[in-house]
């Protein structure tokens, strides 16, 4: 897929001013140039969000323009820039397909009655004081089963936002509980791509990695659930029985609510347990929901195509329900996908042309002890999430940067892979311009900065990880615990 011509014979050189004097040498930016590019991104994004309250696309394009200007001054050949753009953009292709399939699935799930059914019984069964903890647990189970925080947020999360609205719970609190639970499952599920990526980058074993993550993840989720219980009892909402009854009546009047509507989520969980890939699972569940919408709810095939493409439009007469259910659709994922493309292209330039490596080489001096090494790794992964807008790049770059230091200290691979997830996986959902954060905010209908304080698990895990690093807890060296792989194995082989 890559358009690189590295393995082809070199063509006869042409008089190309942009490549003059640079084509034969490996490009490496100066430290000053790297700092300018990274700082420009942070400044543009901060100004756009905090001062102008604008969307982030133009700000990121402006920062990309600054970076291209710097590259011109640094005499980087355009051919190298083009390759970096292509490599960064390629990473977004499978992500975009997942996002578009979730958009279509959301529309089908609403039209079929799946989401209304979950909202209906959630309002009947769940106590307002227990709702936040219940929402977190529900998304934990969904993402553990599917291995995807996106699937949990786009399915159970959307329905739980409706339940929370009916119960009078602050939407930001509800979104925080949903994101916390979704992040836990995405981090701990053996089906998750990041759960497999982190040990691969750290040269470890996936099940050793999952076992190691329990020591930072378990206390974090226990504290998060405790916080949600306290918030639930203290700010459980003021919804009156008449309000809840009006929502139930609106749902009953506009949807045929029966057990058939629960087939799509059952399919998702079943196929995920059978370890089927996420993309076909979403397509199968969405197609099944579309069939149920036609058979049970009476929609025509043409209407279903329109809903899955442009989103469901609710006309129940209840403004709260209508605003909640009027969502989904493939085209409504364009905002997140377009932001993801720009972000991944920008991140590809920063990574493949050496800007991040130049910057973070200066951080190696702070990794003298195990505590400072853990802290540097976790903080770097958080920064990579902010700069590259991709949890995958965060994990890959963090691993590449610090694996040598972990090997020098004879640490086990799972100590590194755990740090990569503690800093990379969970924080991606609370960065507004990160692909994951943009998806969560758009899908749940709550700005990332609004639910960030309540996404307790997401910001608590890095703190727990760094704290244990300085305390020397669960930072194993070779021989201290049983491990499938060690860094001594790679040296001996």
């Amino acid at each position: 897929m890559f358009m690189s011509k590295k393995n082809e014979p070199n063509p006869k050189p042409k008089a190309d001013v942009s490549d003059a004097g640079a084509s034969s040498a490996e490009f490496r930016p100066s430290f000053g140039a790297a700092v300018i590019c990274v700082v420009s991104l942070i400044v543009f994004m901060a100004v756009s969000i905090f001062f102008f309250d604008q969307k982030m696309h133009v700000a990121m394009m402006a920062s990309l323009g600054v970076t291209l200007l710097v590259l011109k001054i640094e005499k980087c050949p355009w051919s190298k820039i083009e390759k970096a753009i292509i490599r960064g953009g390629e990473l977004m292709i499978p992500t975009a397909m997942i996002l578009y399939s979730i958009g279509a699935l959301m529309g089908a799930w609403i039209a079929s009655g799946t989401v209304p059914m979950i909202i209906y019984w959630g309002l009947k069964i769940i106590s307002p004081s227990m709702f936040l903890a219940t929402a977190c647990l529900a998304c934990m189970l969904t993402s553990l089963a599917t291995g995807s925080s996106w699937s949990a947020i786009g399915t159970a999360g959307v329905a739980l936002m409706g339940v929370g609205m009916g119960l009078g719970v602050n939407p930001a609190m509800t979104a925080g509980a949903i994101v916390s639970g979704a992040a836990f499952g995405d981090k701990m599920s053996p089906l998750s791509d990041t759960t497999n990526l982190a040990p691969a980058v750290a040269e470890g074993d996936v099940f050793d990695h999952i076992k190691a993550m329990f020591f930072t993840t378990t206390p974090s989720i226990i504290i998060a659930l405790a916080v949600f219980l306290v918030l639930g009892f203290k700010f459980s909402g003021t919804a009156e029985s008449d309000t809840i009854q009006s929502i139930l009546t609106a749902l009953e009047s506009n949807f045929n609510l029966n057990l058939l509507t629960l087939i799509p989520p059952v399919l998702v969980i079943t196929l995920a347990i059978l370890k089927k890939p996420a993309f076909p699972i979403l397509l199968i569940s969405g197609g099944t929901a579309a069939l149920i919408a036609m058979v049970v709810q009476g929609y025509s095939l043409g209407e279903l195509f329109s809903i899955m493409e442009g989103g469901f439009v609710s006309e129940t007469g209840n403004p709260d329900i209508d605003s909640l259910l009027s969502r989904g659709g493939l085209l409504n994922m364009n905002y997140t996908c377009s932001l993801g493309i720009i972000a991944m292209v920008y991140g590809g330039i920063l990574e493949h042309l050496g800007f991040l490596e130049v910057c973070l080489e200066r951080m190696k001096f702070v990794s003298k002890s195990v505590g400072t090494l853990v802290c540097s790794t976790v903080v770097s992964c958080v920064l990579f999430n902010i700069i590259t807008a991709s949890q995958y790049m965060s994990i890959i770059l963090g691993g590449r940067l610090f694996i040598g230091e972990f090997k020098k200290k004879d640490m086990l691979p799972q100590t590194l892979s755990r740090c990569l997830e503690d800093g990379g996986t969970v924080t991606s959902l609370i960065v507004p311009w990160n692909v994951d954060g943009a998806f969560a905010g758009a899908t749940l209908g709550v700005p990332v900065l609004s639910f960030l304080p309540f996404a307790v698990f997401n910001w608590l895990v890095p703190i727990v990880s760094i704290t244990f690093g300085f305390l020397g807890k669960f930072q194993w060296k070779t021989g201290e615990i049983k491990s499938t792989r060690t860094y001594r194995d790679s040296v001996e082989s």
Side-chain angles (χ1 to χ4, degrees):
M1 289 177 65
F2 292 109
M3 297 179 65
S4 170
K5 299 183 179 179
K6 190 180 292 185
N7 296 322
E8 296 181 6
N10 291 326
K12 186 176 180 181
K14 298 179 181 180
D16 189 337
V17 177
S18 64
D19 287 5
S23 58
S24 60
E26 186 69 25
F27 175 75
R28 184 178 175 82
S30 64
F31 176 68
V35 170
I36 289 173
C37 294
V38 172
V39 170
S40 73
L41 171 65
I42 297 172
V43 170
F44 276 116
M45 299 307 286
V47 169
S48 176
I49 294 171
F50 297 110
F51 289 92
F52 298 132
D53 192 25
Q54 296 294 313
K55 299 186 187 300
M56 296 164 282
H57 295 67
V58 175
M60 189 161 283
M61 288 294 289
S63 181
L64 181 58
V66 171
T67 300
L68 292 176
L69 178 61
V70 169
L71 285 168
K72 180 67 176 177
I73 295 172
E74 292 279 299
K75 298 181 179 179
C76 176
W78 176 251
S79 59
K80 292 184 180 293
I81 299 173
E82 191 174 37
K83 287 179 182 178
I85 290 173
I86 292 171
R87 293 176 70 181
E90 283 179 336
L91 293 175
M92 188 60 197
I93 294 174
T95 300
M97 293 305 297
I98 294 290
L99 284 169
Y100 281 131
S101 63
I102 289 176
L105 175 140
M106 285 170 58
W109 272 36
I110 296 171
S112 68
T114 299
V115 171
M117 180 75 161
I118 296 172
I119 294 173
Y120 181 86
W121 284 104
L123 289 174
K124 276 185 168 270
I125 295 173
I126 301 174
S127 165
S129 59
M130 296 294 294
F131 169 69
L132 292 175
T134 303
C136 182
L137 287 169
C139 288
M140 282 172 57
L141 294 175
T142 305
S143 58
L144 275 171
T146 61
S148 169
S149 59
W150 289 2
S151 296
I153 291 169
T155 54
V158 172
L160 288 165
M161 287 299 296
V163 177
M165 178 272 295
L167 295 174
V169 179
N170 183 336
M173 292 183 184
T174 303
I178 290 168
V179 167
S180 291
F184 174 91
D186 197 352
K187 189 174 188 285
M188 298 300 294
S189 174
L191 302 176
S192 170
D193 47 6
T194 54
T195 305
N196 286 273
L197 176 63
V201 172
E203 301 176 11
D205 176 77
V206 65
F207 292 103
D208 286 342
H209 168 62
I210 292 173
K211 291 175 187 175
M213 287 197 296
F214 269 105
F215 293 94
T216 54
T217 303
T218 303
S220 299
I221 196 63
I222 290 174
I223 294 172
L225 286 170
V227 170
F228 293 137
L229 283 172
V230 171
L231 289 174
F233 281 104
K234 192 172 182 181
F235 306 105
S236 57
T238 57
E240 298 179 357
S241 58
D242 289 343
T243 303
I244 295 176
Q245 187 57 48
S246 67
I247 294 173
L248 295 176
T249 301
L251 293 173
E252 287 176 333
S253 302
N254 289 272
F255 296 94
N256 185 357
L257 303 176
N258 62 49
L259 290 177
L260 290 176
T261 63
L262 297 179
I263 291 177
V266 171
L267 267 177
V268 170
I269 295 172
T270 303
L271 292 174
I273 292 173
L274 294 174
K275 299 182 179 180
K276 302 302 180 183
F279 184 53
I281 288 176
L282 295 171
L283 291 180
I284 291 170
S285 179
T288 303
L291 181 62
I292 293 172
M294 289 187 288
V295 174
V296 177
Q297 308 298 343
Y299 288 99
S300 68
L301 182 60
E303 288 174 326
L304 256 298
F305 278 5
S306 177
I307 289 170
M308 295 178 76
E309 183 175 9
F312 184 85
V313 179
S314 176
E315 297 176 342
T316 66
N318 184 307
D320 292 329
I321 286 291
D322 289 342
S323 65
L324 177 75
L325 296 183
S326 296
R327 64 180 63 216
L330 185 149
L331 295 180
N332 286 323
M333 287 295 168
N334 280 337
Y335 172 86
T336 305
C337 286
S338 58
L339 180 63
I341 290 170
I342 299 170
M344 295 296 273
V345 164
Y346 187 76
I349 290 174
L350 293 181
E351 197 268 324
H352 294 297
L353 294 181
F355 284 100
L356 299 178
E357 185 178 356
V358 168
C359 281
L360 292 170
E361 275 180 354
R362 304 294 180 100
M363 293 182 62
K364 287 188 176 180
F365 75 94
V366 297
S367 59
K368 294 181 180 179
S369 68
V370 171
T372 54
L373 177 59
V374 169
C375 181
S376 300
T377 307
V378 173
V379 170
S380 294
C381 287
V382 175
L383 290 175
F384 280 135
N385 259 331
I386 294 171
I387 295 168
T388 68
S390 167
Q391 63 176 333
Y392 303 110
M393 284 192 176
S394 173
I395 291 170
I396 293 169
L397 296 178
R400 283 177 50 184
L401 183 65
F402 290 102
I403 190 170
E405 299 300 315
F406 276 81
K407 287 181 176 180
K408 287 179 185 178
K409 289 180 170 50
D410 199 23
M411 306 292 289
L412 289 177
Q414 54 263 43
T415 57
L416 169 58
S417 61
R418 179 179 61 202
C419 288
L420 300 180
E421 289 232 64
D422 288 346
T425 301
V426 296
T427 59
S428 64
L429 284 161
I430 54 176
V431 177
W433 55 87
N434 191 287
V435 177
D436 301 294
F439 169 77
T443 302
L444 299 178
V446 180
V448 175
L449 294 180
S450 295
F451 71 67
L452 189 155
F454 303 107
V456 180
F457 176 78
N458 301 69
W459 50 258
L460 187 58
V461 169
I463 296 173
V464 171
S465 184
I466 292 171
T467 301
F468 282 166
F470 282 114
L471 293 175
K473 299 293 184 181
F474 317 117
Q475 310 300 324
W476 308 290
K477 294 191 175 184
T478 303
E480 292 184 353
I481 63 169
K482 185 178 179 180
S483 179
T484 305
R485 294 181 185 177
T486 70
Y487 288 133
R488 291 184 189 178
D489 296 336
S490 59
V491 173
E492 291 171 1
S493 61

